[in-house]
Amino acid sequence: MKTRTYLFLMAGAILLPVAIASWIGLSMLLDWERESRLRGVREMARATAFQIDREIAAAEAALRSVAHSEGMRQRDYGRLHRWTTSTNAGNAQSWTVLYDSSGRELFTTQAPLSTKLLSKTRAWASKVTPEGGTVVSGYFIDEYSGRPTVAVNVPAPLEDGEYNIVSQIFDVRFFERILRHDAIGDDWKVGIFDRNGLAIMRNRGSDTLGQPMGADFLAATRASSHGVYRYLTGDKVDVYGVFTRSKSSDWTIVIGVPVAQIEAAARTATWYAALVLLLLLGLAVVVALYLGRTLERALSQAAAAVTLLADGAIALPARTRVDEVDALVAGLARTSEALARESQVRRSLQDEREELLVSEQRARRLAEAQSRAKDDFLAMLGHELRNPLAAISGAMSVLEMPNLKPHIEANAREISRRQMRHLTCIVDDLLDVQRILSGKIVLHRARIDLAAIVRSSAEAKALVDAGAHVWTIDTAPGAWVDGDRTRLEQVADNLLHNAIKYTPKGGRIDVRVWCDGDAVAVSVCDTGVGIAPELQPLIFDVLVQGPMSIDRGQGGLGLGLALVKQLTALHGGGVAVHSDGPGQGSCFIVRVPATA
């Protein structure tokens, strides 16, 4: 058989399973489209339930503020009546009622405090206790106004062990705006039902408020917190009832969508997919015919080229646009290029070996630098520990002397305490660096004003500095961030400590905080010893202090700026440094993401 015949058989063997699989896929697409439409309705029901939960949560929060107020503890009902009346002002669909523990009304914001109210007990009040917490009622007719309502009831403990009940009563029309949504179809039915299945609100048929839903539908909503139930309406319309239950109120939100509407949309999408599939299959057949003829011509040209090459001819035919055939024809031509490529590969391998040698030398220098840093650190640590230990040892020797004068003894004790605090700071810095590097630091985040933290730290440092330097503190108000107050104070203290330590007496220290776009920036600039250009990229590494001898006057382990960098990074920010060189001062800028 010819090549074209093999191609047609191959195309048929491929397209037949594709057609079968496509038929199955279209059936699955129909089911998926139906489920997708219902999923959209389900999300709308969940959004409605979320809005209801939000309204109830807002009412509960307001009631809790009343329940735990000073006026409630003192039973100052006049004060409570004025408060709740002003809170409900302008809202005719919601009002507040205060009951005692047996359900007797103490006052309502619908009437003046002096109005005589119904003095009967109410059975539902026994369910609202301090132990049980907030209770959301179902549908009921308000005795005072005669309107269909629901209520949010919150217990209010009193000092003598008794308690009152604060209730926010809602006219059911309060929830009518939740059911008005542009995405709800004209023929959809939306309803809110309480835990007993009574209709609280409907977008259609307001005359059925307070009426129970069907027994079968009620059983379906009790069996699961959400789902889809197919049923026939009173006017014999086949409907998908998509329902979900509110978590805070145990109410059920039901959205009824005609089955015909869901099925029609799903079938339309499936027919479009089927039409596209038929067009693609037809296009595949046309392409197979074209490629078959192209491949047949290419193979004929390849056979002629092989004959020419066998005869020793060097002329090659034109390209056939078939990669495999062109590769076959050009195979001999590429053979002549093999040796050239081999030589090129040899040179490439030589270059690679040289690069590996350079890389190995660089790694060795890095290892030697790290070893030197370790030795320097151990030397610095010994120096930093020797001084306070020597002072403590001397103070202890003084304390052991007989007939010691009180002021000398007090001075020796103060020296011991001061040097112990210094040792504690050294150990704390070492532990903080170890925790950060091992990922064990836990931030206790809160919304804090970074400007207030920096100003407080700077003012404290300036007070202790006792006029040795000229201080300028400029902090913009409202520099709010989400961070750990203790760690941010540590960042500020380390930067300020460095500025004091490396700035000679009489020098200037400028502290500034400002809002920079979506970040809060803190800068600490000084006129001190400055930083050499080659040291600036390494200044935030652990143990880096610049070229100093062991008997340097400034002291420190080189951990402060490393802590600043790591703690700032944990807050999602960064730190940068700028210095014009030795003797030109330095400026450190910290940026932390701002919050509202």
Side-chain angles (χ1 to χ4, degrees), residues 472-485:
T472 300
I473 303 173
D474 179 12
T475 57
W480 295 98
V481 299
D482 181 24
D484 188 321
R485 174 180 291 274

Side-chain angles (χ1 to χ4, degrees), residues 407-426:
H407 71 277
I408 297 178
E409 179 181 359
N411 187 41
R413 293 183 186 278
E414 175 59 26
I415 291 173
S416 297
R417 281 193 293 269
R418 185 169 61 251
Q419 296 303 322
M420 286 298 295
R421 285 195 298 270
H422 182 52
L423 284 174
T424 301
C425 290
I426 293 175

